[in-house]
Amino acid sequence: MARSAVRSTDRFERKREAILDAATEILNRQGVKGLTLSVAAAAVDLSTTSVTYYFKRKDDLAAACLMRGVDALQQMLDAALEAPTPAERLHVLLELYLERVRLTTVGEAPPLPVLADIRALNQPRRGEVSKAFGKMFRRTREIFEAESLSWLSRGRRTARTHMLLEQLFWAGAWLPKYDPEDYPRIRERMYDILIGGMAAETSSWGPTPIPMTELAPRDRQEMSRETFLLAATRLINSRGYRGASVDKISAELNVTKGSFYHHNDAKDDLVVACFDRTFDVMRRVQRLAMALPGDEWTRLSSAAAALAEFQLSEHGPLLRSSALTALPEPIRLEMVQHSNRVSDRFASMISDGIAEGSLRPVDPFIAAQMLNATLNAGAELGFWVPGVSQKAAPAVFARPLLMGIFEK
């Protein structure tokens, strides 16, 4: 190849990567909904026409950002799976992922995209990225392939893989609380929680049931609003913010658009209302659990079990945190604060449990964020493990974090 052609190719690749870097930052702040060719072009001092030379459509650009993130995770997994044991593979994956986040934070590596917005893509790009994500997911599941874990069914391996990936994805929401130089210490604390769980050696799995009737609407007016918000939550979880249009929500409930706007002034208001419902359910479960007799381990495990079960009940699911990226930044920050308050209450329960000896001495803040991420991810358990029952959800999904990801 002629030297001039090589230089031209290098320039093309450098500019393409610069566009992807800028577009990924926009994607992470505003979701697919907020990423446009013109906004991406302005971020790199190009005209929109110039950007179309690299990416003809908005979805092409968004898909390229997401695919680059999936590829980065795939490379980390390839390295992690060279380790001989499941525990060592897990440690390498955490080390590589948090190091990449650290490098991004200090400006030495491009950002990783938030992968939660894949559903907001149009076809055929959604199918292409989903296929790549599925391949990466199956690669992650290989962490659990070992003779010592032969007792794990395929469904339980899949559930634990989903939980593990959610820990990586949600970490981006709470890691900014720390200085990047502390990330190695945080990695070890996350690893300790995943390996050892939160229960003390003397504590066993046996959560006290919290009846789902305690979480159901109490009067006719509340039932009407609950029906509306539940339909919207299910659509947003399954199709993303952009896919859950007002028309589709109205059709799901067999009501007119006028009825929709009677309940909510705008679509963003609806997402906020769905989040408010989610946080209200979680706080109610926490209050009910905290009133139970017994120790803090009983209360914490009972709250986790109830929320895992709620996700697959007729009243579930709760709104996935992935919807956050679609909200305007001020509203998104407010919703994150609400989520943090739920986590902080879990942290208080964990601290009390450590003090009394029913829980292991883990980092309460990190453990609470990891628990919150797990319970939120339970909304998609039925997708990843088809046929899993409501009653089985606590043992299949909540127990692995609380008792140890490689424990029976």
Side-chain angles (χ1 to χ4, degrees), residues 210 212-218 222 226 276-291 303 306-307 310 315 318 342 345:
I210 294 176
M212 291 296 105
T213 52
E214 294 284 343
L215 306 175
R218 293 175 176 79
E222 191 177 340
E226 170 79 2
D276 285 342
R277 169 185 175 268
T278 290
F279 299 138
D280 179 61
V281 168
M282 297 186 78
R283 284 192 292 265
R284 272 195 278 168
V285 167
Q286 289 175 326
R287 287 195 294 269
L288 289 166
M290 291 168 74
L307 286 166
F310 181 90
H315 306 296
L318 301 173
V342 171
R345 182 176 283 174

Side-chain angles (χ1 to χ4, degrees), residues 137-171:
F137 186 97
R138 291 188 295 274
R139 192 75 170 132
T140 310
R141 193 167 55 198
E142 291 181 33
I143 287 174
F144 298 92
E145 290 187 1
E147 185 64 32
S148 61
L149 298 176
S150 59
W151 53 270
L152 270 177
S153 67
R154 181 182 177 85
R156 287 178 181 266
R157 286 201 310 272
T158 298
R160 293 173 193 225
T161 300
H162 176 41
M163 186 269 280
L164 172 57
L165 284 173
E166 194 64 25
Q167 302 310 323
L168 302 183
F169 300 154
W170 184 244

Side-chain angles (χ1 to χ4, degrees), residues 178 185 189 192-193 350 354 360-368:
Y178 297 93
R185 180 174 58 86
R189 293 186 174 189
D192 175 63
I193 292 166
I350 292 167
I354 294 169
R360 292 176 61 236
V362 297
D363 186 307
F365 174 83
I366 295 175

Side-chain angles (χ1 to χ4, degrees), residues 85-91 143-145 148-149 151-152 160 163-164 191 194-197 400-401 403-408:
T85 68
E88 289 172 294
R89 294 166 196 162
L90 174 61
H91 193 275
I143 287 174
F144 298 92
E145 290 187 1
S148 61
L149 298 176
W151 53 270
L152 270 177
R160 293 173 193 225
M163 186 269 280
L164 172 57
Y191 176 75
L194 287 168
I195 290 291
L401 179 70
M403 302 293 291
I405 198 169
F406 299 127
E407 297 298 318
K408 283 189 178 180

